[in-house]
Amino acid sequence: MTTLVPGSYPLALNENPYGPLPSVRRALERALASANRYPEFLPDRLPRLIAARIGCSPEQIVVGPGATGVILYILQAFAAPGGARVIMADPTFDGYPLLTATVGGNPVPVPLTAAGAQDLDAMAAAVDERTGVVVLCDPHNPTGTRLHPRELTGFLDRIGSRVNVILDEAYIEFVTPERRIDTLALLAAYPNVIVVRTFSKAFGLAGLRVGYAVAAPGIAARIAHWQVPFGMNILAEVGVQACYAAEDELNQRIHAIVDERDRLSTALRRGGYILPDSSANYIFVPLNDPALTRRISDAFTGAGIQVKQYSTGMRVTVGDPVANEAVVRVAREVVGDFVPAIGQIA
Ligand code: PMP
């Protein structure tokens, strides 16, 4: 758990800076009174709730303990047999290389482009007969870059239907609806695609561990095969239901985070940093000068700002305005003479 102490800014895990809305909190507190009871043996009500909300059939939804849990199920289903290869961008969400190794698969990292985008040409070229799964993220973690719909369909046409493709949309709610890929239409056209989403980010329920996959019914059944009996806690369904009921208030928070992200990006750019455009609740700061990286990292640590470090830069979660202000202040103080060295990811 990220503990909040005064003067400490937990910006390393892309969490929502806001605690549960009062209505969500009340619903969760009420549900706690039944903590002596088991949840459903295998979740049925929660997938129905999600399916009704997003407009697909419940047979297409598989819920799990966070997107992480769902990703593990998917890799168990499609990447475990015989050490299948899992193609993914490098860097990507840490869970992908980790869980691929857990199930006995082989991660195949494909470097991002210099602009911080997933290199779909190189990823398609990496697909071979040993490939079980390809992982794409939209927006990408850690750079926040988007997939282009036509490039995505071109990629799917090129690799064919044998290989399953995870389309990870953990941060999709930070993208305005008219700019999202129509994933249900995509699933209808490409039944080898598995969309993964979470309630940890925009919905702010990271501690409750609720994620889901949307897939063709046959694929969903193979994923659901790995679900742990009684594996979802009793707060999951209640939390999701309460969030859906509070959609307007949640959307206001999402807008506030997006506005803060844009404000943070602009302030850092004014300070000399060159950033890829982020469509998520974090920004990526490319750093390719080891001396600058060390200076920034020390300054952030000294100011109590926790961020995620990569060999090519750092990812900073958008926090509340006070945390973002601290990031801007420290980053701008440090940058000084280093400006010309900033900016390339690869
Ligand atoms: N996918 C991506 C791209 C992520 O960044 C994360 C969390 N950082 C996850 C999946 C997993 O999220 P969770 O398990 O909290 O649902």
Side-chain angles (χ1 to χ4, degrees):
M1 188 170 106
T2 318
T3 41
L4 197 55
V5 284
S8 130
Y9 306 107
L11 306 179
L13 294 175
N14 296 344
E15 294 159 323
N16 195 310
Y18 304 110
L21 287 165
S23 61
V24 175
R25 202 183 159 129
R26 276 194 302 277
L28 294 174
E29 279 166 4
R30 274 196 305 276
L32 271 181
S34 308
N36 57 318
R37 302 292 174 193
Y38 280 102
E40 290 178 290
F41 179 70
L42 289 173
D44 177 56
R45 288 189 304 263
L46 182 54
R48 283 180 192 286
L49 186 66
I50 295 169
R53 188 68 169 199
I54 68 174
C56 68
S57 108
E59 288 71 43
Q60 290 185 266
I61 304 286
V62 184
V63 297
T68 303
V70 178
I71 292 162
L72 179 62
Y73 300 157
I74 297 169
L75 295 174
Q76 280 168 317
F78 300 110
R85 290 162 36 118
V86 178
I87 295 169
M88 60 191 76
D90 180 28
T92 187
F93 166 49
D94 286 346
Y96 286 111
L98 253 165
L99 298 174
T100 298
T102 302
V103 303
N106 291 311
V108 178
V110 176
L112 296 175
T113 68
Q118 292 159 103
D119 189 339
L120 295 195
D121 279 343
M123 292 176 87
V127 172
D128 64 12
E129 67 289 347
R130 291 164 297 166
T131 304
V133 177
V134 179
V135 179
L136 298 176
C137 299
D138 183 38
H140 188 57
N141 177 3
T143 50
T145 53
R146 295 290 314 277
L147 288 175
H148 190 286
R150 265 203 310 279
E151 277 175 38
L152 174 60
T153 49
F155 172 84
L156 293 169
D157 289 335
R158 182 167 163 194
I159 68 160
S161 57
R162 189 194 59 79
V163 174
N164 289 102
V165 176
I166 296 179
L167 179 61
D168 184 321
E169 294 192 327
Y171 301 94
I172 199 66
E173 293 84 3
F174 296 105
V175 175
T176 45
E178 56 286 3
R179 296 195 58 236
R180 293 179 198 164
I181 290 174
D182 181 348
T183 36
L184 292 184
L186 190 79
L187 284 174
Y190 298 94
N192 55 322
V193 171
I194 304 166
V195 175
V196 171
R197 298 203 186 123
T198 180
F199 288 91
S200 296
K201 308 297 178 181
F203 290 89
L205 299 181
L208 294 190
R209 313 305 300 128
V210 200
Y212 63 97
V214 197
I219 301 258
R222 288 181 65 185
I223 300 169
H225 172 76
W226 293 96
Q227 282 178 315
V228 177
F230 301 116
M232 300 297 288
N233 75 71
I234 58 158
L235 300 183
E237 181 192 344
V238 174
V240 169
Q241 199 158 31
C243 282
Y244 281 164
E247 191 186 15
D248 288 348
E249 280 169 283
L250 271 177
N251 277 336
Q252 281 171 22
R253 286 181 163 187
I254 291 170
H255 286 139
I257 292 168
V258 166
D259 287 348
E260 275 295 298
R261 177 196 70 212
D262 293 343
R263 201 177 67 81
L264 180 61
S265 306
T266 304
L268 290 181
R269 284 179 175 137
R270 287 212 180 107
Y273 291 86
I274 299 166
L275 317 173
D277 281 331
S278 171
S279 295
N281 69 334
Y282 48 84
I283 55 166
F284 188 78
V285 183
L287 298 167
N288 50 12
D289 179 322
L292 175 63
T293 307
R294 235 184 349 269
R295 280 260 300 270
I296 293 195
S297 159
D298 290 349
F300 273 19
T301 306
I305 301 170
Q306 298 148 35
V307 299
K308 177 140 171 82
Q309 306 279 355
Y310 295 83
S311 61
T312 49
M314 63 185 187
R315 188 194 69 199
V316 184
T317 305
V318 178
D320 61 21
V322 175
N324 302 333
E325 214 38 64
V327 169
V328 171
R329 183 173 36 78
V330 175
R332 289 178 70 152
E333 266 165 24
V334 170
V335 72
D337 312 327
F338 288 92
V339 173
I342 298 174
Q344 272 149 29
I345 291 166

